[in-house]
Amino acid sequence: MMYQWFECKIKYEKTLEDGKVQKVTEPYLVDAINFTDAEKRIIEEIQPFMTGAFEVSDIKRVRYSELFEDPRDEADRFYKAKVLFITLDEKSGAEKKTANHMLIQAGTLREALNRLEEGMETTMIDYTVASIQETSLIDVFHYKEAVSEGFKAVTE
């Protein structure tokens, strides 16, 4: 089964540090099968953390060829990198650049570039980093296989 990344935006009322209540929209990344599954999964993931009402205001498919995560608490941001893979066209001999987008979890832009370079060390293809920019993503939720408790197969 092939899973894909979906960016889901959650709209809710957030109490700020000064006590004011403000409507905010926060994006999350979910690994899902399709749009319906993405909506179901983001609701399941977010619901335990929400005290009031919230809504899924937008879902869009995003394409990331790699995800470089960092378990450290300081790595609290996500950066989107555009990496160009460089190949040679055998017939014409011309250089061809193919864009790939990668997501990197890091604390700073410099750390993101370092994590990207560490992650790309084993690649055999030439590449160049075209851009890295900070995203507004709050968190990433990977697909978890559902475990059915108490399920017994009935055979005749």
Side-chain angles (χ1 to χ4, degrees):
M1 202 174 286
M2 183 75 165
Y3 300 102
Q4 301 171 49
W5 291 111
F6 292 87
E7 184 178 296
C8 301
K9 292 189 178 178
I10 302 296
K11 188 181 285 190
Y12 68 101
E13 289 185 351
K14 181 177 186 176
T15 304
L16 305 176
E17 291 177 10
D18 61 3
K20 293 181 182 177
V21 176
Q22 180 180 359
K23 274 200 177 227
V24 295
T25 302
E26 295 179 337
Y28 294 86
L29 197 63
V30 176
D31 189 8
I33 299 169
N34 55 34
F35 286 91
T36 305
D37 186 42
E39 182 176 24
K40 176 181 167 272
R41 294 217 41 253
I42 192 63
I43 290 170
E44 288 172 356
E45 294 285 356
I46 293 296
Q47 204 158 25
F49 304 104
M50 295 291 171
T51 54
F54 68 93
E55 69 174 288
V56 179
S57 62
D58 187 32
I59 300 175
K60 69 178 179 181
R61 181 177 289 132
V62 290
R63 300 198 192 291
Y64 291 113
S65 59
E66 287 286 337
L67 175 58
F68 299 106
E69 293 182 280
D70 190 334
R72 298 174 307 129
D73 287 340
E74 305 85 54
D76 59 349
R77 297 183 179 120
F78 292 93
Y79 295 84
K80 180 179 180 178
K82 182 177 181 180
V83 177
L84 302 175
F85 289 128
I86 304 167
T87 56
L88 288 176
D89 186 312
E90 292 179 16
K91 292 181 181 176
S92 68
E95 246 184 30
K96 179 182 175 187
K97 294 180 181 180
T98 307
N100 284 279
H101 292 96
M102 301 177 184
L103 191 65
I104 307 141
Q105 184 178 9
T108 65
L109 181 63
R110 184 175 306 280
E111 287 177 14
L113 180 58
N114 290 340
R115 291 257 320 123
L116 176 61
E117 289 176 346
E118 286 172 16
M120 296 297 289
E121 282 178 351
T122 58
T123 188
M124 302 290 277
I125 195 166
D126 290 335
Y127 71 92
T128 184
V129 178
S131 66
I132 297 181
Q133 63 186 29
E134 186 175 347
T135 70
S136 56
L137 285 174
I138 302 299
D139 207 350
V140 173
F141 298 109
H142 293 275
Y143 184 80
K144 294 179 201 139
E145 198 65 41
V147 179
S148 298
E149 292 185 31
F151 176 80
K152 293 182 182 179
V154 178
T155 57
E156 293 184 46

